[in-house]
């Protein structure tokens, strides 16, 4: 499909950083949680190597927070995810799939504990707020569910620690992965965590004040000139290399955590009240499909038209589908994620699509397999 202009209206939300993103020369957007999410600034290759070498500021306001606030907040959070949250610490984040009662994936947020009675679900692209509100209503829980005005700004890349230390203080260097601190910027407290949708290191600033957006952006750029700071965005190629999954692309409400390699985020034996746990337990051993990584040699410009969220046909029969694909500049391969039948994976060493052959790589990926 060719790219076309995006029409703007009230449904497509802008962010506090949108002016700065435009000024920085954004060249493509997608829409994520009904909000603009930049996808390209320069070329994919230049965006990629810059991220791996320097530091980038990403407008990821579309990573919306679904807030659970009230005496039953922890109970509701636990109902929604089959990952055991009983040991989550204050200001810790836990990657936890949200599943419905049938065991299918509705979202894959980072669950953040802000206080005993207050949680954020930092959601991917699906309307979790309504699911949470429905559960709260239906189960008579004492909890308010809302989407607060929080606008995450990610600072990603190997120089992220240096840049963040200049703006938020040396304390940021001590923050561990998926942990955070409440830090001040211009007198406003905000949650700062070591996280982000890349594997190049970095932080996410959960900025709570629209009017402070451009000031924060400008401060990061003013302090990062010698670090070659640039505007950037989540990148399809880097995240595929890193094995980070994208909800709505790689998985959706018709897939299970087992099929998507999210087994390690399930606690099937935990003594917790989670809506999906009975269904997920009953699924053990019955899995028929699996999301696997594939790596092809051909450049994306010559890529077979079938690659790109489309059917995989073997001997005239559709057996699976490609969910995501991108060119890896590091490995010089076209990487893809595909949902394939276990029977095929178990009975074959490799798959050939339009004359190109790839072996199967499990999630999380082992980079060495690509070389
Ligand atoms: N940051 C924040 N919110 C988000 C995302 C984010 N919301 C949407 C989307 N991304 C949610 N999905 C993911 C997917 C993967 C990760 C984070 C959010 C991730 N995973 C690590 C991994 O797979 O190696 C670590 C998971 C773990 O072991 O705990 O980082 O990026 N705020």
């Amino acid at each position: 499909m060719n790219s076309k202009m995006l029409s703007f209206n009230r449904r497509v939300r802008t962010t506090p950083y949108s002016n700065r993103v435009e000024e920085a020369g954004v060249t493509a957007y997608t829409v994520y949680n009904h909000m603009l999410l930049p996808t390209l600034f320069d070329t994919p290759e230049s965006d990629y190597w810059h991220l791996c070498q320097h530091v980038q500021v990403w407008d990821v306001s579309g990573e919306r927070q679904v807030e659970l606030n009230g005496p039953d907040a922890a109970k509701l959070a636990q109902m929604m995810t089959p990952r055991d949250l009983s040991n989550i610490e204050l200001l810790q984040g836990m990657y936890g799939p949200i599943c419905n009662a049938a065991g299918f994936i509705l979202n894959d947020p980072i669950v953040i504990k802000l206080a005993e009675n207050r949680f954020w679900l930092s959601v991917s692209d699906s309307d979790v707020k309504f699911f949470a509100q429905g559960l709260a209503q239906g189960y008579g829980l004492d909890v308010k569910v809302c989407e607060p005005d929080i606008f995450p700004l990610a600072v990603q890349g190997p120089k992220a620690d240096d840049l963040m230390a200049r703006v938020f203080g040396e304390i940021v260097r001590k923050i561990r992965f998926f942990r955070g601190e409440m830090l001040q910027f211009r007198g406003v407290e905000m949650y700062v965590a070591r996280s982000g949708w890349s594997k190049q290191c970095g932080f996410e600033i959960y900025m709570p004040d629209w009017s402070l957006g451009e000031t924060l952006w400008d401060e990061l750029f003013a302090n990062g000139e010698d670090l070659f700071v640039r505007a950037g965005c989540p990148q399809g190629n880097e995240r595929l290399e890193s094995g980070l999954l994208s909800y709505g692309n790689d998985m959706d409400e018709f897939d299970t955590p087992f099929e998507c390699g999210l087994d390690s985020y399930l606690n099937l034996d935990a003594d917790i009240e989670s809506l999906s746990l009975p269904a997920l337990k009953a699924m053990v051993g019955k899995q028929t499909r699996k999301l696997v990584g594939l790596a092809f040699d051909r450049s994306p410009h010559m890529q077979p038209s079938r690659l790109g969220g489309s059917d995989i046909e073997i001997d005239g029969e559709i057996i699976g589908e490609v969910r995501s694909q991108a060119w890896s500049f590091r490995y010089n391969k076209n990487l893809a994620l595909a949902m394939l039948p276990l029977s095929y994976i178990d009975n074959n060493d490799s798959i050939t699509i339009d004359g190109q052959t790839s072996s199967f790589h499990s999630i999380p990926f082992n980079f060495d397999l690509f070389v």
Side-chain angles (χ1 to χ4, degrees):
M1 227 182 63
N2 290 322
S3 301
K4 301 281 194 312
M5 297 274 284
L6 194 65
S7 296
F8 289 91
N9 54 33
R10 195 161 169 268
R11 280 185 299 104
V12 181
R13 298 182 282 182
T14 55
T15 86
Y17 318 112
S18 288
N19 290 331
R20 291 294 185 263
V21 164
E22 288 280 320
E23 287 159 13
V26 65
T27 53
Y29 286 110
T30 188
V31 175
Y32 196 85
N33 284 319
H34 316 282
M35 198 171 252
L36 286 176
L37 176 67
T39 55
L40 190 65
F41 282 84
D42 194 352
T43 61
E45 180 158 19
S46 130
D47 282 6
Y48 172 79
W49 289 118
H50 181 274
L51 171 67
C52 298
Q53 287 159 5
H54 303 295
V55 56
Q56 295 185 348
V57 176
W58 295 2
D59 176 3
V60 286
S61 300
E63 295 170 353
R64 307 305 298 157
Q65 307 309 300
V66 173
E67 177 165 319
L68 316 179
N69 198 333
D72 287 331
K75 182 173 180 177
L76 177 55
Q78 188 61 84
M79 279 181 81
M80 295 173 73
T81 180
R83 181 164 187 182
D84 186 355
L85 300 178
S86 53
N87 290 324
I88 190 170
E89 291 175 15
L90 274 183
L91 303 186
Q92 182 182 357
M94 272 192 180
Y95 181 49
I98 291 178
C99 297
N100 63 19
F104 291 85
I105 310 171
L106 300 183
N107 201 285
D108 68 331
I110 300 176
V111 182
I112 301 158
K113 180 174 179 174
L114 295 163
E116 291 307 321
N117 288 342
R118 185 167 171 237
F119 286 74
W120 278 345
L121 309 175
S122 188
V123 294
S124 49
D125 186 26
S126 76
D127 294 309
V128 166
K129 177 177 64 180
F130 299 135
F131 183 56
Q133 288 172 341
L135 289 175
Q137 171 90 26
Y139 283 87
L141 302 180
D142 188 359
V143 59
K144 281 208 173 65
V145 178
C146 66
E147 183 186 320
D149 282 334
I150 301 292
F151 307 100
L153 192 64
V155 178
Q156 300 284 296
K159 299 177 185 169
D161 275 69
D162 291 336
L163 180 54
M164 286 294 287
R166 292 177 191 178
V167 176
F168 284 92
E170 289 295 315
I171 186 174
V172 299
R173 297 187 195 275
K174 298 210 181 81
I175 299 176
R176 287 175 292 148
F177 186 59
F178 269 47
R179 303 290 171 132
E181 293 282 346
M182 296 304 295
L183 301 178
Q184 303 260 334
F185 178 75
R186 299 283 157 100
V188 176
E189 193 160 77
M190 47 194 83
Y191 177 64
V192 174
R194 191 181 287 280
S195 56
W197 214 56
S198 86
K199 282 276 171 243
Q200 306 308 318
C201 305
F203 298 86
E204 289 177 303
I205 308 161
Y206 292 70
M207 209 280 296
D209 182 346
W210 179 288
S211 68
L212 213 52
E214 294 185 356
T215 311
L216 174 59
W217 179 283
D218 292 344
E219 190 76 6
L220 287 164
F221 277 79
N223 279 279
E225 234 168 276
D226 60 318
L227 305 174
F228 302 104
V229 65
R230 240 189 63 174
C233 52
Q235 295 172 20
N237 44 11
E238 196 278 344
R239 73 94 181 172
L240 270 183
E241 287 175 1
S242 302
L244 295 168
L245 297 183
S246 169
Y247 187 78
N249 288 316
D250 309 323
M251 53 185 175
D252 59 33
E253 64 190 293
F254 303 107
D255 303 317
T256 73
F258 300 106
E259 293 171 336
C260 299
L262 295 175
D263 316 35
S264 62
Y265 302 108
L266 312 177
N267 294 105
L268 296 181
D269 300 325
D271 184 19
I272 51 175
E273 265 183 66
S274 184
L275 199 67
S276 58
L277 222 47
L280 289 170
K281 282 183 187 173
M283 272 178 200
V284 173
K286 296 192 181 138
Q287 181 181 349
T288 61
R289 310 181 299 164
K290 191 179 166 190
L291 195 64
V292 288
L294 305 175
F296 300 101
D297 285 332
R298 211 179 290 166
S299 92
H301 309 293
M302 299 156 60
Q303 85 197 5
S305 60
R306 281 196 193 119
L307 284 181
S310 47
D311 297 336
I312 296 174
E313 217 178 285
I314 303 286
D315 299 332
E317 195 195 337
I318 293 170
I319 65 156
E321 58 183 13
V322 173
R323 297 275 172 98
S324 293
Q325 63 87 27
W327 182 253
S328 162
F329 301 103
R330 184 176 300 274
Y331 301 111
N332 280 316
K333 299 266 185 193
N334 200 41
L335 305 184
L337 281 170
M339 187 62 85
L340 292 175
L342 272 185
S343 58
Y344 192 89
I345 297 170
D346 291 343
N347 292 318
N348 295 274
D349 296 331
S350 62
I351 187 164
T352 300
I353 301 174
D354 279 359
Q356 290 197 85
T357 300
S358 169
S359 50
F360 308 113
H361 306 297
S362 293
I363 303 165
F365 298 142
N366 178 351
F367 296 149
D368 300 341
L369 297 173
F370 294 141
V371 183

